[in-house]
Amino acid sequence: QKEVEQDPGPLSVPEGAIVSLNCTYSNSAFQYFMWYRQYSRKGPELLMYTYSSGNKEDGRFTAQVDKSSKYISLFIRDSQPSDSATYLCACPIQGAQKLVFGQGTRLTINP
Amino acid sequence: DSGVTQTPKHLITATGQRVTLRCSPRSGDLSVYWYQQSLDQGLQFLIQYYNGEERAKGNILERFSAQQFPDLHSELNLSSLELGDSALYFCASSPRSGGGSYNEQFFGPGTRLTVL
């Protein structure tokens, strides 16, 4: 079993829709939870992160962590075609020296 | 632009060969990380260096090795290449080594390796 599991999709939604991206993890020691966005032919870039359980909002993006169920979510409101990318959840271990990534979900927002 | 540079962008080589990938971290960052991204395995951590010393190791094959030089740039050496080594190789950098606190890693644009 992988430490971080993510449905690879692909996921295709119309512009303006609310998008929900999800991951599950198995390591109870994870404390930080990241979401990276990767555009085609580019390196991943950090979108946002949360510490422990709870919600964090940044503009149209909301990250949510439920440590009791080991569930990580990213919500995108009012989705735009420019949000089309692969979204990867990630958790750092070993004192934040190593990032463990989910498989990544390929998202397409259709105009 | 993350500030992390990687060369070359693309590399095409044959099985059995050896290649070197180069990474320059962001100005001031002391840690360099190498990751491999393939379709079947996703993005996987290979190795980390901090200020010239190896700090953490992932699922890095014995045929692969890395080092970080005094000017903090890093090189990933891949030898006896196999078809399955074809992948995107990313370098990332961060200011610190880690140690339990949040430690954002900034990724470079990657090197696409194709082994024929």
Side-chain angles (χ1 to χ4, degrees):
Chain A
Q1 181 191 8
K2 289 190 175 183
E3 288 187 281
V4 180
E5 300 266 10
Q6 184 177 7
D7 186 343
L11 183 62
S12 182
V13 301
E15 182 177 355
I18 296 175
V19 177
S20 172
L21 303 168
N22 307 292
C23 294
T24 58
Y25 64 95
S26 58
N27 191 337
S28 299
F30 289 158
Q31 295 190 59
Y32 287 93
F33 304 90
M34 279 89 160
W35 283 97
Y36 279 80
R37 179 174 60 194
Q38 185 177 18
Y39 289 113
S40 182
R41 301 184 182 280
K42 301 283 187 182
E45 58 176 340
L46 183 67
L47 195 57
M48 56 194 305
Y49 75 94
T50 55
Y51 175 72
S52 193
S53 281
N55 292 359
K56 186 174 184 178
E57 191 173 316
D58 184 1
R60 297 183 294 108
F61 298 87
T62 299
Q64 195 173 76
V65 176
D66 182 349
K67 292 194 81 175
S68 62
S69 60
K70 297 189 177 67
Y71 204 77
I72 313 165
S73 299
L74 178 70
F75 299 96
I76 307 174
R77 293 185 302 280
D78 188 24
S79 56
Q80 305 294 311
S82 59
D83 295 328
S84 298
T86 296
Y87 290 80
L88 304 114
C89 56
C91 303
I93 60 173
Q94 292 184 13
Q97 292 172 356
K98 164 186 172 178
L99 283 174
V100 180
F101 283 88
Q103 188 73 6
T105 300
R106 189 171 179 180
L107 173 66
T108 300
I109 309 297
N110 301 302
Chain B
D1 185 357
S2 67
V4 178
T5 60
Q6 288 186 249
T7 56
K9 285 186 179 180
H10 304 280
L11 202 47
I12 301 174
T13 188
T15 54
Q17 295 297 306
R18 173 189 170 95
V19 297
T20 297
L21 313 183
R22 182 187 169 102
C23 168
S24 293
R26 294 187 322 154
S27 177
D29 283 359
L30 299 178
S31 271
V32 169
Y33 310 76
W34 286 97
Y35 290 84
Q36 179 192 58
Q37 187 174 39
S38 61
L39 281 174
D40 56 342
Q41 295 293 323
L43 196 56
Q44 291 207 313
F45 170 77
L46 294 177
I47 197 165
Q48 180 212 2
Y49 278 82
Y50 175 76
N51 203 22
E53 293 187 0
E54 182 184 308
R55 277 298 175 94
K57 221 167 183 177
N59 297 325
I60 186 167
L61 299 172
E62 284 192 12
R63 300 184 286 109
F64 296 1
S65 65
Q67 53 184 329
Q68 186 179 27
F69 295 86
D71 67 352
L72 300 177
H73 91 271
S74 178
E75 293 181 355
L76 180 67
N77 300 296
L78 315 176
S79 61
S80 303
L81 285 168
E82 302 175 359
L83 296 177
D85 298 327
S86 295
L88 272 167
Y89 290 85
F90 288 103
C91 166
S93 75
S94 68
R96 301 180 305 277
S97 171
S101 60
Y102 171 62
N103 190 29
E104 181 175 352
Q105 296 180 23
F106 297 86
F107 283 77
T111 293
R112 183 176 294 275
L113 173 67
T114 302
V115 182
L116 301 175

